[in-house]
Amino acid sequence: MKIRISEEGKVKFWLWIPTRLLFNRFFATLLPVFAGKELEKYKIRLTGSTCRKFVREFYKCRKKFGGKLELVEVQSSGGDLVKIIL
């Protein structure tokens, strides 16, 4: 995952986090343990198997679209540009 914030062509902030570090079977199995109580407030049931299925389909979609998924591209009125690419 790449997060890039730039202002009029100059890069102000750049952060690179390996996508495999966030989207893997181990993390998908642990996510319901940590997020389960918060999601129960909204009546959302999350299990490890559904998270693992999501991760598997995420990588299939990413492969189909050429290896990059651009989630966010926002430009403010002040000239700041924010991009989040998976």
Side-chain angles (χ1 to χ4, degrees), residues 1-5 11 13-17 82-85:
M1 175 187 328
K2 297 177 184 175
I3 300 174
R4 191 172 128 191
I5 301 171
V11 176
F13 179 75
W14 189 80
L15 178 66
W16 180 76
I17 302 170
V82 176
K83 281 188 181 183
I84 299 177
I85 301 171

Side-chain angles (χ1 to χ4, degrees), residues 30-45:
L30 289 179
L31 181 65
V33 174
F34 294 110
K37 291 181 182 177
E38 186 66 33
L39 293 174
E40 283 178 5
K41 294 177 186 176
Y42 304 104
K43 297 189 178 17
I44 297 173
R45 188 169 166 257

Side-chain angles (χ1 to χ4, degrees), residues 3-86:
I3 300 174
R4 191 172 128 191
I5 301 171
S6 61
E7 180 181 345
E8 298 174 7
K10 296 179 182 179
V11 176
K12 289 174 57 175
F13 179 75
W14 189 80
L15 178 66
W16 180 76
I17 302 170
T19 306
R20 290 276 179 188
L21 186 64
L22 296 177
F23 292 109
N24 58 41
R25 289 179 56 95
F26 179 72
F27 185 74
T29 304
L30 289 179
L31 181 65
V33 174
F34 294 110
K37 291 181 182 177
E38 186 66 33
L39 293 174
E40 283 178 5
K41 294 177 186 176
Y42 304 104
K43 297 189 178 17
I44 297 173
R45 188 169 166 257
L46 191 63
T47 63
S49 64
T50 56
C51 290
R52 287 189 299 272
K53 287 177 185 178
F54 170 77
V55 168
R56 192 172 345 155
E57 293 301 319
F58 167 76
Y59 283 113
K60 284 181 184 179
C61 289
R62 194 172 98 164
K63 185 176 181 180
K64 185 176 182 176
F65 288 106
K68 283 186 179 179
L69 289 176
E70 191 168 303
L71 290 181
V72 177
E73 183 175 355
V74 179
Q75 186 166 7
S76 70
S77 61
D80 291 341
L81 179 68
V82 176
K83 281 188 181 183
I84 299 177
I85 301 171
L86 291 177

